[in-house]
Amino acid sequence: MKPNLHPHYEKVVFMDVNSGYKFLTGSTKKSNETIVWEDGNTYPLIKVEVSSDTHPFYTGKQKFADTGGRVDRFLQKYNMKEKK
């Protein structure tokens, strides 16, 4: 095998920022943050927006409801009135 061909693979902790759910797995992702895991070792911490703990497919329920169409959100965002 050629040297320096593959990225560095190590154990990391992924944390769902919405629920606080954490899991330890292997990855090539890099992070400047670290966390002490349940086994007492320190691992890089990678924060994610969605995991199996908060994704509607795995939870069976929708947590965030859409409150209007695209046009309505645009008009509200820019404080505009709909022309008729």
Coordinates of all heavy atoms in Angstrom, one line a residue:
M1 N 0.8 -1.2 0.0 CA 0.0 0.0 0.0 C 0.9 1.3 0.0 O 1.9 1.3 0.7 CB -0.9 0.0 1.2 CG -2.3 0.3 0.9 SD -3.6 0.0 2.1 CE -2.9 0.4 3.7
K2 N 0.4 2.3 -0.7 CA 1.2 3.5 -0.7 C 1.0 4.3 0.6 O -0.1 4.3 1.2 CB 0.7 4.4 -1.9 CG 1.0 3.9 -3.2 CD 0.4 4.9 -4.3 CE 0.7 4.3 -5.7 NZ 0.2 5.2 -6.7
P3 N 2.1 4.9 1.1 CA 2.0 5.7 2.3 C 1.2 6.9 2.1 O 1.2 7.5 1.0 CB 3.4 6.0 2.7 CG 4.2 5.8 1.5 CD 3.4 4.8 0.6
N4 N 0.5 7.4 3.1 CA -0.3 8.6 3.1 C -1.4 8.7 2.1 O -1.8 9.7 1.6 CB 0.6 9.9 3.0 CG 1.6 9.9 4.0 OD1 1.4 9.6 5.2 ND2 2.8 10.4 3.7
L5 N -1.9 7.5 1.7 CA -3.0 7.4 0.7 C -4.4 7.5 1.4 O -5.2 8.2 0.9 CB -2.9 6.1 -0.1 CG -3.9 5.9 -1.2 CD1 -3.7 7.0 -2.3 CD2 -3.8 4.5 -1.8
H6 N -4.5 6.9 2.5 CA -5.8 6.8 3.2 C -5.9 7.9 4.3 O -4.9 8.1 4.9 CB -6.1 5.5 3.8 CG -6.2 4.4 2.7 ND1 -7.3 4.2 1.9 CD2 -5.3 3.5 2.3 CE1 -7.1 3.2 1.1 NE2 -5.9 2.7 1.3
P7 N -7.1 8.5 4.5 CA -7.2 9.4 5.6 C -7.1 8.7 7.0 O -7.3 7.5 7.1 CB -8.6 10.0 5.4 CG -9.3 9.0 4.6 CD -8.3 8.3 3.8
H8 N -6.8 9.5 8.0 CA -6.6 8.9 9.4 C -8.0 8.5 9.9 O -8.9 9.3 10.0 CB -6.0 10.0 10.3 CG -5.7 9.5 11.6 ND1 -4.9 8.5 12.0 CD2 -6.3 9.9 12.8 CE1 -4.9 8.3 13.3 NE2 -5.8 9.2 13.8
Y9 N -8.1 7.3 10.3 CA -9.4 6.7 10.8 C -9.2 6.6 12.3 O -8.3 6.0 12.8 CB -9.7 5.4 10.2 CG -11.0 4.8 10.6 CD1 -12.2 5.2 9.9 CD2 -11.0 3.8 11.5 CE1 -13.4 4.6 10.3 CE2 -12.2 3.2 11.8 CZ -13.4 3.6 11.2 OH -14.6 3.0 11.6
E10 N -10.2 7.1 13.1 CA -10.1 7.0 14.6 C -11.5 7.0 15.1 O -12.5 7.3 14.5 CB -9.3 8.2 15.1 CG -9.9 9.6 14.9 CD -9.1 10.7 15.4 OE1 -8.2 10.5 16.2 OE2 -9.3 11.8 15.0
K11 N -11.6 6.7 16.4 CA -12.9 6.8 17.1 C -13.2 8.2 17.4 O -12.4 9.0 17.9 CB -12.8 5.9 18.4 CG -12.7 4.5 18.1 CD -13.0 3.7 19.3 CE -13.0 2.2 18.9 NZ -13.8 1.4 19.8
V12 N -14.5 8.6 17.2 CA -15.0 9.9 17.5 C -16.4 9.8 18.1 O -17.1 8.8 18.0 CB -15.1 10.8 16.2 CG1 -13.8 11.0 15.6 CG2 -16.1 10.2 15.2
V13 N -16.8 10.8 18.8 CA -18.2 10.9 19.4 C -19.0 11.9 18.5 O -18.6 13.0 18.3 CB -18.1 11.4 20.8 CG1 -19.5 11.6 21.4 CG2 -17.3 10.4 21.7
F14 N -20.1 11.4 18.1 CA -21.1 12.3 17.4 C -22.2 12.7 18.4 O -22.7 11.8 19.1 CB -21.7 11.6 16.2 CG -20.9 11.5 15.0 CD1 -20.0 10.4 14.8 CD2 -20.9 12.5 14.0 CE1 -19.2 10.3 13.7 CE2 -20.0 12.4 12.9 CZ -19.2 11.3 12.8
M15 N -22.5 14.0 18.4 CA -23.5 14.5 19.4 C -24.6 15.2 18.6 O -24.3 16.1 17.8 CB -22.9 15.4 20.4 CG -24.0 15.9 21.4 SD -23.3 16.9 22.7 CE -23.2 18.5 21.9
D16 N -25.9 14.8 18.8 CA -27.0 15.5 18.2 C -27.3 16.8 19.1 O -27.6 16.7 20.3 CB -28.2 14.6 18.2 CG -29.4 15.2 17.5 OD1 -29.6 16.4 17.5 OD2 -30.2 14.4 16.9
V17 N -27.1 17.9 18.5 CA -27.3 19.2 19.2 C -28.7 19.5 19.6 O -28.9 20.2 20.6 CB -26.7 20.4 18.4 CG1 -25.2 20.3 18.2 CG2 -27.4 20.6 17.1
N18 N -29.7 18.8 19.0 CA -31.1 19.1 19.3 C -31.5 18.3 20.6 O -32.3 18.7 21.3 CB -32.0 18.8 18.2 CG -31.8 19.7 17.0 OD1 -31.8 20.9 17.3 ND2 -31.7 19.3 15.8
S19 N -31.0 17.1 20.7 CA -31.5 16.2 21.8 C -30.4 15.9 22.8 O -30.6 15.4 23.9 CB -32.0 14.9 21.3 OG -31.0 14.1 20.7
G20 N -29.1 16.1 22.5 CA -28.0 15.8 23.4 C -27.6 14.3 23.3 O -26.7 13.9 24.0
Y21 N -28.2 13.6 22.4 CA -27.9 12.1 22.2 C -26.5 12.0 21.6 O -26.1 12.7 20.7 CB -28.9 11.5 21.2 CG -28.6 10.1 20.8 CD1 -28.7 9.1 21.8 CD2 -28.2 9.8 19.5 CE1 -28.5 7.8 21.4 CE2 -27.9 8.5 19.2 CZ -28.1 7.5 20.1 OH -27.8 6.2 19.8
K22 N -25.6 11.1 22.2 CA -24.2 10.9 21.8 C -24.0 9.5 21.5 O -24.6 8.6 22.1 CB -23.3 11.4 22.9 CG -23.4 12.9 23.2 CD -22.4 13.3 24.3 CE -22.8 13.1 25.6 NZ -23.6 14.0 26.3
F23 N -23.1 9.2 20.5 CA -22.7 7.9 20.2 C -21.2 7.8 19.7 O -20.8 8.8 19.1 CB -23.6 7.1 19.2 CG -23.8 7.8 17.9 CD1 -23.0 7.4 16.8 CD2 -24.7 8.8 17.7 CE1 -23.1 8.0 15.6 CE2 -24.8 9.4 16.5 CZ -24.0 9.0 15.4
L24 N -20.5 6.8 20.1 CA -19.1 6.6 19.7 C -19.0 5.7 18.5 O -19.6 4.6 18.5 CB -18.4 6.0 20.9 CG -16.9 5.7 20.7 CD1 -16.1 7.0 20.6 CD2 -16.4 4.9 21.9
T25 N -18.3 6.1 17.5 CA -18.1 5.3 16.3 C -16.7 5.7 15.7 O -16.1 6.6 16.1 CB -19.2 5.5 15.3 OG1 -19.1 4.6 14.3 CG2 -19.3 6.9 14.8
G26 N -16.4 5.0 14.6 CA -15.2 5.3 13.9 C -15.5 6.3 12.7 O -16.5 6.2 12.1
S27 N -14.5 7.2 12.5 CA -14.7 8.1 11.4 C -13.4 8.7 10.9 O -12.4 8.7 11.7 CB -15.7 9.2 11.8 OG -15.9 10.2 10.8
T28 N -13.4 9.3 9.8 CA -12.2 10.1 9.3 C -12.4 11.6 9.5 O -11.5 12.3 9.1 CB -12.0 9.8 7.8 OG1 -13.1 10.1 7.0 CG2 -11.6 8.3 7.6
K29 N -13.6 12.0 10.0 CA -13.8 13.4 10.3 C -12.9 13.9 11.3 O -12.5 13.3 12.2 CB -15.3 13.6 10.8 CG -16.3 13.4 9.7 CD -16.6 14.7 9.2 CE -18.0 14.8 8.7 NZ -18.1 15.9 7.8
K30 N -12.6 15.2 11.2 CA -11.7 15.9 12.1 C -12.5 16.9 12.9 O -13.5 17.4 12.5 CB -10.6 16.7 11.4 CG -9.8 15.8 10.5 CD -8.6 15.2 11.2 CE -7.7 14.5 10.2 NZ -7.5 13.1 10.5
S31 N -12.0 17.2 14.2 CA -12.7 18.2 15.0 C -11.7 18.8 16.0 O -10.8 18.1 16.4 CB -13.9 17.5 15.8 OG -14.4 18.4 16.7
N32 N -11.9 20.0 16.3 CA -11.1 20.7 17.3 C -11.6 20.5 18.7 O -10.9 20.7 19.7 CB -10.9 22.2 17.0 CG -10.2 22.4 15.7 OD1 -9.3 21.6 15.4 ND2 -10.5 23.5 15.1
E33 N -12.9 20.1 18.9 CA -13.5 19.9 20.2 C -13.3 18.4 20.6 O -13.2 17.5 19.8 CB -15.0 20.2 20.1 CG -15.3 21.6 19.8 CD -16.8 21.9 19.7 OE1 -17.4 21.9 20.8 OE2 -17.3 22.0 18.6
T34 N -13.2 18.2 21.9 CA -13.1 16.9 22.4 C -14.1 16.7 23.6 O -14.6 17.7 24.1 CB -11.7 16.6 23.0 OG1 -11.4 17.6 24.0 CG2 -10.6 16.7 21.9
I35 N -14.3 15.4 23.9 CA -15.2 15.1 25.0 C -14.7 13.8 25.7 O -14.1 13.0 25.1 CB -16.6 14.9 24.5 CG1 -17.6 14.7 25.6 CG2 -16.7 13.7 23.6 CD1 -19.1 14.7 25.2
V36 N -14.9 13.7 27.0 CA -14.5 12.5 27.7 C -15.7 11.6 27.7 O -16.8 11.9 28.1 CB -14.2 12.9 29.2 CG1 -13.9 11.6 30.0 CG2 -13.0 13.8 29.3
W37 N -15.5 10.4 27.1 CA -16.5 9.4 26.9 C -16.7 8.6 28.2 O -16.0 8.7 29.2 CB -16.2 8.5 25.7 CG -17.3 7.6 25.3 CD1 -17.3 6.3 25.3 CD2 -18.6 8.0 24.8 NE1 -18.5 5.7 24.9 CE2 -19.3 6.8 24.6 CE3 -19.3 9.2 24.6 CZ2 -20.6 6.8 24.1 CZ3 -20.6 9.2 24.1 CH2 -21.2 8.0 23.9
E38 N -17.7 7.7 28.2 CA -18.1 6.9 29.4 C -16.9 6.0 29.8 O -16.9 5.6 31.0 CB -19.3 6.1 29.1 CG -20.5 6.9 28.8 CD -21.6 6.2 28.1 OE1 -21.4 5.0 27.7 OE2 -22.7 6.8 27.8
D39 N -16.0 5.6 28.9 CA -14.9 4.7 29.3 C -13.7 5.5 29.9 O -12.7 4.9 30.2 CB -14.5 3.9 28.1 CG -14.0 4.8 26.9 OD1 -13.9 6.0 27.0 OD2 -13.7 4.2 25.9
G40 N -13.9 6.8 30.0 CA -12.8 7.6 30.6 C -11.8 8.2 29.6 O -10.9 9.0 29.9
N41 N -11.9 7.8 28.3 CA -11.0 8.2 27.3 C -11.5 9.5 26.7 O -12.7 9.8 26.6 CB -10.8 7.2 26.2 CG -10.1 6.0 26.7 OD1 -9.2 6.1 27.6 ND2 -10.4 4.8 26.2
T42 N -10.6 10.3 26.1 CA -11.0 11.6 25.4 C -11.0 11.3 23.9 O -10.1 10.8 23.4 CB -10.0 12.7 25.8 OG1 -10.0 12.9 27.2 CG2 -10.4 14.0 25.1
Y43 N -12.1 11.7 23.3 CA -12.3 11.5 21.8 C -12.7 12.9 21.2 O -13.3 13.7 21.9 CB -13.4 10.5 21.6 CG -13.2 9.1 22.1 CD1 -13.8 8.7 23.3 CD2 -12.3 8.3 21.4 CE1 -13.5 7.4 23.8 CE2 -12.0 7.0 21.9 CZ -12.6 6.6 23.1 OH -12.4 5.3 23.6
P44 N -12.4 13.0 19.9 CA -12.9 14.2 19.2 C -14.5 14.2 19.2 O -15.1 13.2 19.1 CB -12.4 14.0 17.8 CG -11.3 13.1 17.9 CD -11.6 12.2 19.0
L45 N -15.0 15.4 19.3 CA -16.5 15.6 19.3 C -17.0 16.3 18.0 O -16.4 17.3 17.6 CB -16.9 16.5 20.5 CG -18.4 16.8 20.6 CD1 -19.2 15.6 20.8 CD2 -18.6 17.9 21.7
I46 N -17.9 15.6 17.3 CA -18.5 16.2 16.1 C -20.0 16.4 16.4 O -20.7 15.5 16.7 CB -18.3 15.3 14.9 CG1 -16.8 15.1 14.7 CG2 -19.0 15.8 13.7 CD1 -16.4 14.1 13.6
K47 N -20.4 17.7 16.2 CA -21.8 18.0 16.5 C -22.6 17.9 15.2 O -22.2 18.4 14.1 CB -21.9 19.4 17.1 CG -21.3 19.5 18.4 CD -21.4 20.9 19.0 CE -20.7 21.0 20.3 NZ -20.7 22.4 20.9
V48 N -23.8 17.3 15.2 CA -24.7 17.1 14.1 C -26.0 17.7 14.4 O -26.5 17.7 15.5 CB -24.7 15.6 13.6 CG1 -23.4 15.2 13.1 CG2 -25.3 14.7 14.7
E49 N -26.7 18.1 13.4 CA -28.1 18.7 13.5 C -29.2 17.6 13.7 O -30.1 17.7 14.4 CB -28.5 19.5 12.3 CG -27.6 20.8 12.2 CD -27.9 21.8 13.2 OE1 -29.0 22.0 13.6 OE2 -26.9 22.5 13.6
V50 N -29.0 16.5 13.0 CA -30.0 15.4 13.0 C -29.3 14.1 13.1 O -28.3 13.8 12.5 CB -30.8 15.4 11.6 CG1 -31.8 14.3 11.6 CG2 -31.5 16.7 11.4
S51 N -29.9 13.2 14.0 CA -29.4 11.8 14.1 C -30.6 10.9 14.2 O -31.7 11.4 14.0 CB -28.6 11.7 15.4 OG -29.4 11.8 16.5
S52 N -30.4 9.7 14.4 CA -31.5 8.7 14.5 C -32.4 9.0 15.7 O -33.6 8.6 15.7 CB -31.0 7.3 14.6 OG -30.2 7.1 15.8
D53 N -31.9 9.8 16.6 CA -32.7 10.2 17.8 C -33.7 11.3 17.5 O -34.8 11.3 18.2 CB -31.8 10.6 18.9 CG -32.5 10.8 20.3 OD1 -33.1 9.8 20.7 OD2 -32.3 11.8 20.9
T54 N -33.5 12.1 16.5 CA -34.4 13.2 16.2 C -35.0 13.2 14.8 O -35.9 14.0 14.5 CB -33.7 14.6 16.4 OG1 -32.5 14.6 15.5 CG2 -33.3 14.8 17.8
H55 N -34.5 12.3 13.9 CA -35.0 12.2 12.6 C -36.4 11.6 12.5 O -36.7 10.6 13.2 CB -34.1 11.4 11.7 CG -34.4 11.6 10.2 ND1 -35.4 11.0 9.6 CD2 -33.8 12.4 9.3 CE1 -35.4 11.3 8.3 NE2 -34.4 12.2 8.1
P56 N -37.4 12.3 11.9 CA -38.8 11.8 11.8 C -38.9 10.4 11.3 O -39.8 9.7 11.8 CB -39.5 12.8 10.9 CG -38.7 14.0 10.9 CD -37.3 13.5 11.1
F57 N -38.1 9.9 10.5 CA -38.2 8.5 9.9 C -38.0 7.5 11.1 O -38.7 6.5 11.2 CB -37.2 8.3 8.8 CG -37.2 6.9 8.3 CD1 -38.2 6.5 7.4 CD2 -36.3 5.9 8.7 CE1 -38.2 5.3 6.9 CE2 -36.4 4.7 8.2 CZ -37.3 4.3 7.3
Y58 N -37.1 7.8 12.0 CA -36.7 6.9 13.0 C -37.6 7.1 14.3 O -37.9 6.1 15.0 CB -35.3 7.0 13.5 CG -34.3 6.6 12.3 CD1 -33.6 7.6 11.6 CD2 -34.2 5.3 12.0 CE1 -32.8 7.2 10.6 CE2 -33.3 4.9 11.0 CZ -32.6 5.9 10.3 OH -31.8 5.5 9.3
T59 N -38.1 8.3 14.5 CA -38.9 8.6 15.7 C -40.4 8.3 15.4 O -41.1 8.1 16.4 CB -38.7 10.0 16.1 OG1 -39.2 10.9 15.1 CG2 -37.3 10.4 16.5
G60 N -40.8 8.3 14.2 CA -42.2 8.1 13.9 C -43.1 9.3 14.0 O -44.3 9.2 13.9
K61 N -42.5 10.4 14.3 CA -43.3 11.7 14.5 C -42.5 12.8 13.9 O -41.3 12.9 14.0 CB -43.7 11.9 15.9 CG -42.5 12.0 16.8 CD -43.0 12.1 18.3 CE -41.7 12.1 19.2 NZ -42.1 11.9 20.5
Q62 N -43.3 13.8 13.4 CA -42.7 15.0 12.9 C -42.5 16.0 14.1 O -43.5 16.3 14.8 CB -43.6 15.6 11.8 CG -43.1 16.8 11.2 CD -42.0 16.5 10.2 OE1 -41.9 15.4 9.7 NE2 -41.1 17.5 10.0
K63 N -41.3 16.5 14.3 CA -41.1 17.4 15.4 C -41.2 18.9 15.0 O -41.5 19.7 15.8 CB -39.7 17.2 16.0 CG -39.6 15.9 16.7 CD -38.3 15.8 17.5 CE -38.3 14.5 18.3 NZ -37.2 14.3 19.2
F64 N -40.9 19.2 13.7 CA -41.0 20.5 13.2 C -42.1 20.7 12.2 O -42.0 20.0 11.2 CB -39.6 21.0 12.6 CG -38.5 20.8 13.6 CD1 -37.6 19.7 13.4 CD2 -38.3 21.6 14.7 CE1 -36.6 19.5 14.2 CE2 -37.3 21.4 15.5 CZ -36.4 20.4 15.3
A65 N -43.1 21.5 12.5 CA -44.2 21.6 11.5 C -43.9 22.8 10.6 O -43.4 23.9 11.0 CB -45.5 21.9 12.3
D66 N -44.3 22.7 9.3 CA -44.1 23.7 8.4 C -45.3 24.7 8.6 O -46.5 24.3 8.6 CB -44.2 23.2 6.9 CG -43.8 24.2 5.9 OD1 -43.5 25.3 6.3 OD2 -43.8 23.8 4.7
T67 N -45.0 26.0 8.7 CA -46.1 26.9 9.0 C -46.5 27.8 7.9 O -46.9 28.9 8.0 CB -45.6 27.8 10.2 OG1 -44.4 28.5 9.8 CG2 -45.3 27.1 11.5
G68 N -46.4 27.3 6.7 CA -46.8 28.1 5.5 C -46.0 27.7 4.3 O -45.0 27.0 4.4
G69 N -46.5 28.2 3.2 CA -45.8 27.9 1.9 C -44.6 28.8 1.7 O -44.3 29.7 2.5
R70 N -43.9 28.6 0.6 CA -42.7 29.3 0.3 C -43.0 30.8 0.1 O -42.3 31.7 0.6 CB -42.0 28.8 -0.9 CG -41.4 27.4 -0.7 CD -40.7 27.0 -1.9 NE -40.2 25.6 -1.8 CZ -39.4 25.1 -2.6 NH1 -39.0 25.7 -3.7 NH2 -38.9 23.9 -2.4
V71 N -44.1 31.1 -0.6 CA -44.4 32.5 -0.9 C -44.8 33.2 0.4 O -44.3 34.3 0.7 CB -45.6 32.6 -1.9 CG1 -46.1 34.0 -2.0 CG2 -45.2 32.0 -3.2
D72 N -45.5 32.6 1.3 CA -45.9 33.2 2.6 C -44.7 33.5 3.4 O -44.6 34.6 4.0 CB -46.9 32.3 3.3 CG -48.2 32.1 2.6 OD1 -48.6 33.1 1.9 OD2 -48.9 31.1 2.8
R73 N -43.8 32.6 3.5 CA -42.5 32.8 4.3 C -41.7 33.9 3.7 O -41.1 34.7 4.4 CB -41.7 31.5 4.3 CG -42.3 30.5 5.3 CD -41.4 29.3 5.4 NE -41.0 28.8 4.1 CZ -41.1 27.5 3.8 NH1 -41.5 26.6 4.7 NH2 -40.7 27.1 2.6
F74 N -41.6 34.0 2.3 CA -40.9 35.1 1.7 C -41.5 36.4 2.0 O -40.8 37.4 2.4 CB -40.8 34.8 0.2 CG -40.2 35.9 -0.6 CD1 -38.8 35.9 -0.7 CD2 -40.9 36.9 -1.2 CE1 -38.1 36.9 -1.4 CE2 -40.3 38.0 -1.9 CZ -38.9 38.0 -2.0
L75 N -42.8 36.5 1.9 CA -43.5 37.8 2.1 C -43.3 38.2 3.6 O -43.1 39.4 3.9 CB -45.0 37.6 1.8 CG -45.3 37.4 0.3 CD1 -46.8 37.2 0.1 CD2 -44.8 38.6 -0.5
Q76 N -43.4 37.2 4.5 CA -43.2 37.6 5.9 C -41.8 38.0 6.2 O -41.6 38.9 7.0 CB -43.7 36.4 6.7 CG -43.6 36.6 8.2 CD -44.1 35.4 9.0 OE1 -44.2 34.4 8.5 NE2 -44.3 35.7 10.3
K77 N -40.8 37.3 5.6 CA -39.4 37.6 5.9 C -39.1 39.0 5.5 O -38.3 39.7 6.2 CB -38.6 36.6 5.1 CG -37.1 36.8 5.3 CD -36.3 35.7 4.5 CE -34.8 35.9 4.6 NZ -34.1 34.9 3.9
Y78 N -39.6 39.4 4.3 CA -39.2 40.8 3.8 C -40.3 41.8 4.1 O -40.3 42.9 3.5 CB -38.9 40.7 2.3 CG -37.6 39.9 2.1 CD1 -37.7 38.6 1.6 CD2 -36.4 40.4 2.4 CE1 -36.6 37.8 1.4 CE2 -35.2 39.7 2.2 CZ -35.3 38.4 1.7 OH -34.2 37.7 1.5
N79 N -41.3 41.4 4.9 CA -42.3 42.3 5.4 C -43.0 43.0 4.2 O -43.2 44.2 4.1 CB -41.8 43.4 6.3 CG -42.9 44.1 7.1 OD1 -44.0 43.5 7.3 ND2 -42.6 45.2 7.6
M80 N -43.5 42.1 3.2 CA -44.1 42.5 2.0 C -45.6 42.1 2.1 O -45.9 41.2 2.8 CB -43.4 41.9 0.8 CG -42.0 42.3 0.7 SD -41.2 41.4 -0.6 CE -41.9 42.1 -2.1
K81 N -46.4 42.8 1.3 CA -47.8 42.4 1.2 C -48.0 41.8 -0.2 O -47.4 42.2 -1.2 CB -48.7 43.6 1.3 CG -48.6 44.2 2.7 CD -49.6 45.4 2.9 CE -49.4 45.9 4.3 NZ -50.2 47.0 4.6
E82 N -48.9 40.8 -0.2 CA -49.2 40.1 -1.5 C -50.0 41.1 -2.4 O -51.0 41.7 -2.0 CB -50.0 38.9 -1.2 CG -50.1 38.0 -2.4 CD -50.8 36.6 -2.1 OE1 -51.0 36.4 -0.9 OE2 -51.0 35.9 -3.0
K83 N -49.6 41.2 -3.7 CA -50.4 42.0 -4.7 C -51.5 41.1 -5.2 O -51.4 40.0 -5.5 CB -49.5 42.4 -5.8 CG -48.4 43.3 -5.4 CD -47.5 43.7 -6.6 CE -46.4 44.6 -6.2 NZ -45.6 45.0 -7.3
K84 N -52.7 41.8 -5.3 CA -53.9 41.1 -5.8 C -54.4 41.7 -7.0 O -54.2 42.7 -7.5 CB -55.0 41.1 -4.7 CG -54.5 40.3 -3.5 CD -55.7 40.2 -2.6 CE -55.1 39.4 -1.4 NZ -56.1 38.8 -0.6

